[in-house]
Amino acid sequence: EVQLVESGGGLVQPGGSLRLSCVASGFTFSSYSMSWVRQAPGKGLEWVANIKQDGSEKYYVDSVKGRFTISRDNAKNSLYLQLNALRAEDTAVYYCARGLGYGYVSWGQGTLVTVSS
Amino acid sequence: QSALTQPPSASGSPGQSVTISCTGTSSDVGGNNYVSWYQQHPGKAPKLMISEVSKRPSGVPDRFSGSKSGNTASLTVSGLQPEDEADYYCSSYAGSSGVVFGGGTKLTVL
């Protein structure tokens, strides 16, 4: 059974940093591109970033470029999202999802990031 | 990276059919066949219902179908059931621009 388990969310002040993690199991992690998708409270889904299987290519939504960094450790079956210079508008549930975006079959349960003073 | 356009709400009675539209541009919806549809119940993670315009993943009822014409994709739910009441999101892969989602449609089963 495919499982994606996110962690690392929490309350952080504006301008602060967080590192989100997503541990994968039930499939060959190194064979799949991975993505982060977020959802602000009461709002719709927003793609944040994706990364190819070997980490050689990374893509970001314009609003997070230069502030967020996606990475992976295939030896640890783990996906990461480093969030820097956080803003109130980054408050959201952050999901990791398997794939590039052709159709996300597998999602984690999400981790909540709240940016507030 | 502009969001795809969906109607904010849709509704239908049990047993009826409802269609939800998703309008993009030639750079996303109209430019490839990687349109997906997701169902999301409150407090839950999204669930993939349709991929690549019209493909149903294993386990998704055949009451759900997808199509596309030009820059507009559509999700049709036939034989509406109470458990179909949820938010529905479309998305389109857009190459190096990543993935763009629609704003979501709240489907109410009357």
Side-chain angles (χ1 to χ4, degrees):
Chain A
E1 176 193 6
V2 171
Q3 279 199 314
L4 299 170
V5 180
E6 301 97 334
S7 61
L11 175 63
V12 61
Q13 292 188 338
S17 298
L18 276 179
R19 189 194 195 206
L20 307 184
S21 299
C22 170
V23 177
S25 61
F27 65 100
T28 305
F29 181 73
S30 59
S31 296
Y32 288 85
S33 297
M34 296 294 294
S35 300
W36 287 98
V37 177
R38 67 184 179 183
Q39 186 170 34
K43 302 296 184 182
L45 301 171
E46 180 184 37
W47 169 78
V48 175
N50 56 28
I51 185 170
K52 291 288 183 73
Q53 290 90 322
D54 61 358
S56 60
E57 295 180 47
K58 306 173 185 181
Y59 301 98
Y60 301 90
V61 67
D62 286 346
S63 60
V64 308
K65 284 179 181 175
R67 300 189 299 122
F68 291 7
T69 302
I70 189 171
S71 63
R72 64 191 297 160
D73 185 337
N74 287 341
K76 295 183 177 180
N77 289 344
S78 294
L79 175 72
Y80 306 103
L81 188 67
Q82 178 68 41
L83 290 66
N84 296 331
L86 282 162
R87 307 166 180 167
E89 55 264 35
D90 296 319
T91 294
V93 173
Y94 285 73
Y95 295 100
C96 69
R98 189 178 78 173
L100 261 187
Y102 300 155
Y104 296 121
V105 175
S106 303
W107 297 70
Q109 84 288 351
T111 187
L112 177 62
V113 172
T114 303
V115 184
S116 174
S117 55
Chain B
Q1 293 173 330
S2 298
L4 306 178
T5 300
Q6 295 181 235
S9 64
S11 64
S13 299
Q16 288 187 333
S17 294
V18 63
T19 298
I20 299 170
S21 63
C22 170
T23 301
T25 69
S26 57
S27 298
D28 38 63
V29 175
N32 61 62
N33 286 322
Y34 294 121
V35 175
S36 303
W37 289 91
Y38 300 88
Q39 177 191 66
Q40 187 180 35
H41 288 108
K44 301 294 187 181
K47 176 185 177 182
L48 180 67
M49 304 302 283
I50 297 287
S51 67
E52 297 179 60
V53 176
S54 60
K55 296 181 179 180
R56 271 189 315 276
S58 174
V60 173
D62 60 6
R63 304 183 291 102
F64 292 85
S65 62
S67 63
K68 189 185 86 165
S69 177
N71 296 336
T72 298
S74 298
L75 172 73
T76 297
V77 186
S78 305
L80 272 174
Q81 297 187 3
E83 59 265 33
D84 298 333
E85 184 161 298
D87 293 325
Y88 290 84
Y89 296 91
C90 62
S91 75
S92 176
Y93 179 69
S96 60
S97 296
V99 179
V100 61
F101 282 92
T105 298
K106 182 176 181 62
L107 174 61
T108 300
V109 180
L110 302 170

